[in-house]
Amino acid sequence: MDYRLEEDSLGKVKVPSDKLYGAQTARAVENFPIGEEKMPTEIIRAYGVVKKAAVLANYEQELISREKRDYILKAADELIAGKLDQHFPISLWQTGSGTQTNMNVNEVLANRISEMAGEEPGSKKPVHPNDDVNMSQSSNDTFPTAMALAAVSRTEDFLLPIFEKLQTELEQKAEKYSDLVKVGRTHLMDATPITLGQEFAAFSAQITDIIEMLKDSLKYIKKLPLGGTAVGTGLNTKVGFAEKAVKFINLETKNSFRVAQNKSAGIAAHDSFVNLSGVLKTAASFLMKLANDTRWLASGPRCGIGEIKIPKNEPGSSIMPGKVNPTQAEALFQVAAQVMANDTAVNIGGGSGNFQLNVAKPLIIHNILQSISLLGDAVKSYNQRCLKGIGANQEQIESYLDSCLMLVTVLNPIIGYDKAAQIAQKAFKENLSLKEAAVNLNYLTEAEFEQYVDPKKMTEPNLE
């Protein structure tokens, strides 16, 4: 491999000739040989937006020339478009402020500009990576700003639309099966009736709340500490820089980010990201229940509950012919477990740091972005390959309902809890129907039993 020499404050370093990064990045590659994870591309491209906004603000404040502004804008556009992704080799597991990634961005943009201007990479002409690309900035305020841009974009543009499609499908199932009465279950035991539609409606209500929680959590993420530089004080910036830079971020992203009132808080702690991760964990908790209920209700086909039928996507066993498994639900369950684990890491990362700097920024954003991606992919797959194709096994549902002992609950207001319990116990012990047991005990006539015990009426308030 061919190399060129680049120099930073510690001296000269070999850099691969086909790469646009410089000495600071090369040192980071050498000093952090940890794991296989790299900085998420969402962060790299969000950094392009940050650098564009910064140079535009600096130009408005007459701190940088038009020529340098135009060069940085052009290179940053390439970064945002993904044309420079191959020049970011640093491990995710680096300094907790993300400093190495910020310097990586500065160097790549500066060296790309050198190429544009016909200069040698590493010459720092016509643009300097620190003096120009990083003007009015620090890693400490730009990295959490990039974190916010990436998290908001992935949540709003990717995750929320998928959750909304899941909500729509659940609502359609709720309407379709609104009159199909079935056995309810609590503690995995028979309970009073519910409609299959009401069961789906409960899931729809859960995802509706989660969508609202996600939207609410983004309000706090959108407070940007940009302009705070090293410790939130704004050293080496001109008054008004933050407001101008955030204005340009909003023009670029078509969003509604705003300047954090206290930039030190946005650098030293990341409570808003901890909050977002908590909502993602809540979504995972809901999805775990949805997955497990799918598995239970589809269990069988002859020796389980079998109240719903799921699509047959692929063979389920290498040894048992004809077996079909709830694989989409199992994948969803596993993703939910991983997201819960990610939240634990974010919680620890959110509480880490001392004084004016949180030092787990890469950890926090890696886990949040992974959770968003996993949840979106898994829900999309479950919705398309399982939920849409779920149908009711009406014969099985009716069979269970006819034999359900907990239908006796409706008799409590009529004959009392104790007599109703005797009916249920006698029916179970002697293998009788509830009606037979009630008549044998002389608590009700057949006509009275049929008048009071109507499963459909038991799925709504029934007392006059």
Side-chain angles (χ1 to χ4, degrees), residues 291 326-337 378 381:
T327 53
Q328 290 295 318
E330 290 168 5
L332 188 60
F333 171 90
Q334 293 175 83
V335 161
S381 186

Side-chain angles (χ1 to χ4, degrees), residues 20-311:
L20 288 176
Y21 58 78
Q24 295 169 329
T25 302
R27 292 188 193 280
V29 172
E30 181 179 346
N31 290 325
F32 297 100
I34 305 171
E36 297 181 358
E37 296 86 358
K38 305 300 180 186
M39 190 60 62
T41 55
E42 294 95 337
I43 291 295
I44 303 302
R45 295 176 189 180
Y47 247 117
V49 176
V50 174
K51 297 301 177 182
K52 282 188 69 173
V55 75
L56 287 166
N58 285 325
Y59 178 74
E60 273 201 2
Q61 294 190 313
E62 300 180 345
L63 295 176
I64 198 167
S65 70
R66 176 186 292 271
E67 179 188 28
K68 289 183 178 182
R69 180 203 69 176
D70 291 345
Y71 271 128
I72 293 173
L73 290 177
K74 188 174 181 180
D77 278 333
E78 291 187 0
L79 184 64
I80 295 168
K83 295 179 180 180
L84 304 177
D85 286 353
Q86 69 272 30
H87 301 292
F88 295 89
I90 303 174
S91 170
L92 175 80
W93 311 109
Q94 55 176 274
T95 185
S97 60
T99 297
Q100 276 73 41
T101 289
N102 181 39
M103 294 193 297
N104 192 174
V105 171
N106 293 333
E107 289 181 334
V108 168
L109 293 180
N111 280 341
R112 177 67 186 113
I113 290 166
S114 292
E115 282 189 338
M116 293 176 183
E119 302 285 352
E120 289 295 320
S123 66
K124 301 178 182 178
K125 296 178 182 179
V127 164
H128 192 285
N130 297 87
D131 295 339
D132 298 319
V133 180
N134 201 60
M135 180 184 287
S136 304
Q137 305 156 64
S138 164
S139 302
N140 296 355
D141 66 337
T142 59
F143 195 88
T145 297
M147 288 169 62
L149 268 59
V152 168
S153 174
R154 285 294 281 170
T155 302
E156 290 184 340
D157 300 338
F158 172 72
L159 187 60
L160 281 172
I162 291 173
F163 277 7
E164 287 164 356
K165 287 182 180 178
L166 176 66
Q167 177 191 42
T168 297
E169 188 62 36
L170 289 166
E171 288 175 351
Q172 290 174 350
K173 285 285 191 291
E175 184 177 351
K176 181 177 181 179
Y177 296 115
S178 61
D179 294 323
L180 182 53
V181 184
K182 64 181 290 288
V183 174
R185 294 179 178 87
T186 58
H187 306 275
L188 294 180
M189 307 298 284
D190 302 348
T192 56
I194 190 171
T195 69
L196 185 57
Q198 287 172 324
E199 202 160 20
F200 279 113
F203 289 131
S204 178
Q206 285 180 271
I207 190 63
T208 298
D209 287 346
I210 288 166
I211 288 170
E212 290 305 309
M213 284 187 271
L214 271 175
K215 291 178 179 178
D216 186 63
S217 70
L218 295 183
K219 297 176 185 177
Y220 305 99
I221 299 283
K222 290 182 180 182
K223 297 178 181 180
L224 304 181
L226 188 62
T229 62
V231 296
T233 60
L235 177 67
N236 286 356
T237 68
K238 200 170 181 178
V239 173
F241 168 81
E243 289 73 17
K244 290 180 182 296
V246 172
K247 174 188 71 174
F248 288 119
I249 285 175
N250 286 333
L251 288 172
E252 179 74 22
T253 62
K254 296 179 174 59
N255 215 303
S256 56
F257 294 96
R258 56 195 185 279
V259 177
Q261 288 185 340
N262 190 305
K263 299 178 184 65
S264 292
I267 292 170
H270 295 309
D271 301 337
S272 60
F273 290 94
V274 174
N275 179 50
L276 172 60
S277 181
V279 177
L280 296 173
K281 179 185 68 175
T282 302
S285 178
F286 154 67
L287 293 169
M288 186 173 283
K289 182 180 188 298
L290 177 62
N292 281 330
D293 281 6
T294 301
R295 295 166 62 220
W296 278 102
L297 291 173
S299 61
R302 291 188 174 179
C303 303
I305 293 177
E307 290 185 343
I308 63 172
K309 299 176 181 179
I310 59 174

